[in-house]
Amino acid sequence: MPTISHFARELRWYTYPRPPSPLHPSTALRSWLLDSGSLTAKLLKLSLGDFKVQVLRQVHARASRSEALTLGIGFNELCLVREVILRGHNQPWVFARSVLPLSSLIGSLRHLRKQGTRPLGAFLFSRPHLKRSPIALALISGHHAYLPEALMGNTQVWGRRSIFSIDDKPLLVSEVFLPDFPGARKDN
């Protein structure tokens, strides 16, 4: 069974406005990072419908230590780990990593095992009893193992993550705004 190696250095996630360093996201990007609505819907609007999901991988694996602690699952619990690029105008705008414990993928959520190129956010925000934890942020340095290196190079980027719960079944979703994302332009 494939496994994902744990990241050499775990990311430090924090709840805004407590920063991990003196650095803060730009005002424009902060509005994207802290928005609790559907990122998929906002990206569809920003791209004028020229939006697609590119699946990088979807494997059964263990979550990283940080992810397991955040989800409240055992370190050896098997999860479905899905990594995608959300593209607008064929540009890589957002890298998304979803960690779905297999114990959550039962009942009405079992079809998430075969999500394919459908955006996860479209499904999540269609659920009437969706609960979302506070959003946590991380500043991710260039060449960090969390992201495919081809997406970043030496650039620092901001990411966010939160737990979505449907029928008390948790799913961890993280989204990293890549250098080509139009809202990542510095304004302060």
Side-chain angles (χ1 to χ4, degrees):
M1 191 171 324
T3 61
I4 294 177
S5 62
H6 294 287
F7 308 116
R9 183 174 39 97
E10 289 275 1
L11 292 174
R12 298 181 78 191
W13 297 91
Y14 71 96
T15 304
Y16 190 81
R18 195 186 88 232
S21 71
L23 299 174
H24 293 275
S26 69
T27 302
L29 184 58
R30 191 167 42 245
S31 71
W32 283 86
L33 288 165
L34 299 176
D35 188 289
S36 62
S38 169
L39 178 62
T40 300
K42 285 186 75 169
L43 292 175
L44 273 164
K45 184 176 179 181
L46 181 65
S47 69
L48 303 174
D50 188 2
F51 172 82
K52 73 176 191 172
V53 176
Q54 176 189 352
V55 179
L56 299 177
R57 66 179 176 170
Q58 184 167 308
V59 297
H60 289 110
R62 289 185 298 275
S64 73
R65 181 173 177 77
S66 170
E67 291 166 338
L69 288 170
T70 300
L71 281 163
I73 62 172
F75 297 134
N76 290 321
E77 185 170 334
L78 209 50
C79 299
L80 179 66
V81 177
R82 181 174 192 250
E83 295 180 343
V84 302
I85 298 173
L86 305 178
R87 293 181 164 275
H89 302 293
N90 208 31
Q91 297 297 309
W93 282 0
V94 176
F95 169 80
R97 176 179 165 90
S98 303
V99 180
L100 303 89
L102 292 185
S103 59
S104 291
L105 298 179
I106 57 175
S108 65
L109 301 183
R110 71 181 171 280
H111 76 278
L112 292 179
R113 294 173 186 251
K114 298 182 185 203
Q115 189 68 9
T117 58
R118 292 181 306 248
L120 180 60
F123 168 78
L124 292 175
F125 283 92
S126 73
R127 309 307 294 181
H129 302 293
L130 176 69
K131 294 178 188 168
R132 185 177 194 171
S133 72
I135 295 171
L137 304 182
L139 179 61
I140 304 168
S141 300
H143 303 293
H144 193 283
Y146 193 76
L147 292 165
E149 190 170 342
L151 295 175
M152 287 185 48
N154 290 319
T155 309
Q156 288 186 320
V157 293
W158 286 92
R160 68 182 195 165
R161 77 176 182 185
S162 55
I163 295 175
F164 292 87
S165 293
I166 300 170
D167 300 328
D168 295 321
K169 297 178 186 120
L171 319 168
L172 180 65
V173 177
S174 64
E175 298 146 332
V176 179
F177 292 83
L178 300 171
D180 286 334
F181 177 64
R185 312 288 190 266
K186 291 192 177 198
D187 64 353
N188 58 359

